[in-house]
Amino acid sequence: MKKTILISIIVIIVAALLINYLMPSCLKQQEQKIANLETVIQNLKKETMPLAFQISGRTDSTISFGIKFLDENGNEVSKYQQTIKGRELFFDFFNVKEGNNYLAFPDKVFSDAVSPSQGIDLKPLYEKDGFPMIYQSENISEEVRKSLIDLFATVKSGDAGNRDQFGNAVHDLDGIKTFEPGITYQIITHTKGGIEIIEK
């Protein structure tokens, strides 16, 4: 009995020591990651263009399109072409708040005939070694790069933790404002949270 009590006391003391020494370290690391991400946003342009797209063809039931992903300097990261069922095309973004600003990540492409859950996942198309290449810039430090990799991992998991987050879809409406074949459209993201489409 005494031995059991002694072991319990030792376990409690060890646990208390671990919490006392490890928790401040973990909190400090988390605070540093948040500070790094806030630095990223401060260094971003107020408007960025992570992707451009063009409709290559339409039928009564399908839309063919091509996407070009771009980094912070406007350099091409990757290209993607696909045909999807439907008449209206939607681009969904995942927005994560850091400080008073937002980081926007292209999330999915879907349509009026394809639900968001069945849509095309865009994230792997601009990822390299876990890093979201749309935020690639010569100004990014290794610490900031690691923080973005961590944040992108939570975005890919569908859970950005306790951060303020929301989805944002931009799209065309059949018969009202339709993306025209042959025209290049640019999706502009704003660090204040807005997203818009403009013709190139």
Side-chain angles (χ1 to χ4, degrees):
M1 183 70 175
K2 290 181 179 179
K3 188 177 180 180
T4 303
I5 294 172
L6 182 61
I7 291 172
S8 298
I9 292 171
I10 291 171
V11 168
I12 291 169
I13 291 171
V14 170
L17 288 172
L18 286 173
I19 290 171
N20 188 46
Y21 286 102
L22 291 180
M23 285 299 288
S25 176
C26 291
L27 288 172
K28 188 174 181 181
Q29 287 179 0
Q30 188 64 23
E31 288 172 359
Q32 185 60 51
K33 286 178 182 179
I34 292 171
N36 287 342
L37 290 170
E38 289 178 352
T39 299
V40 170
I41 296 177
Q42 287 170 5
N43 291 333
L44 288 177
K45 302 170 187 174
K46 290 184 179 179
E47 297 181 352
T48 59
M49 185 180 66
L51 70 85
F53 68 95
Q54 189 176 91
I55 304 298
S56 54
R58 285 180 184 270
T59 70
D60 289 339
S61 59
T62 63
I63 306 170
S64 298
F65 61 93
I67 303 174
K68 184 185 291 186
F69 293 93
L70 307 165
D71 68 13
E72 274 290 293
N73 300 317
N75 300 315
E76 183 180 308
V77 171
S78 66
K79 286 182 179 179
Y80 178 74
Q81 292 188 336
Q82 187 59 271
T83 297
I84 191 171
K85 291 181 179 179
R87 295 177 58 85
E88 300 172 14
L89 195 64
F90 295 74
F91 286 87
D92 195 25
F93 281 70
F94 194 90
N95 298 267
V96 181
K97 188 175 184 181
E98 291 293 345
N100 294 318
N101 296 296
Y102 288 87
L103 286 171
F105 298 89
D107 188 32
K108 289 186 177 181
V109 171
F110 57 99
S111 73
D112 57 317
V114 177
S115 68
S117 62
Q118 298 298 315
I120 300 163
D121 188 1
L122 298 177
K123 296 181 291 296
L125 302 176
Y126 58 87
E127 175 185 3
K128 183 177 180 181
D129 299 326
F131 182 77
M133 291 297 291
I134 55 171
Y135 288 110
Q136 173 62 29
S137 168
E138 66 276 4
N139 300 321
I140 291 182
S141 68
E142 190 57 34
E143 278 188 341
V144 169
R145 179 178 291 275
K146 288 178 181 177
S147 295
L148 277 169
I149 288 173
D150 288 343
L151 177 60
F152 194 45
T154 64
V155 168
K156 289 185 293 181
S157 72
D159 177 17
N162 295 322
R163 293 181 173 90
D164 188 359
Q165 55 189 299
F166 63 93
N168 198 342
V170 289
H171 61 95
D172 65 336
L173 295 173
D174 187 36
I176 301 175
K177 175 63 177 176
T178 303
F179 299 143
E180 298 294 335
I183 295 177
T184 298
Y185 296 90
Q186 300 172 332
I187 297 186
I188 308 297
T189 64
H190 303 268
T191 55
K192 292 300 180 184
I195 296 176
E196 62 180 328
I197 297 178
I198 62 172
E199 290 184 20
K200 184 174 179 181

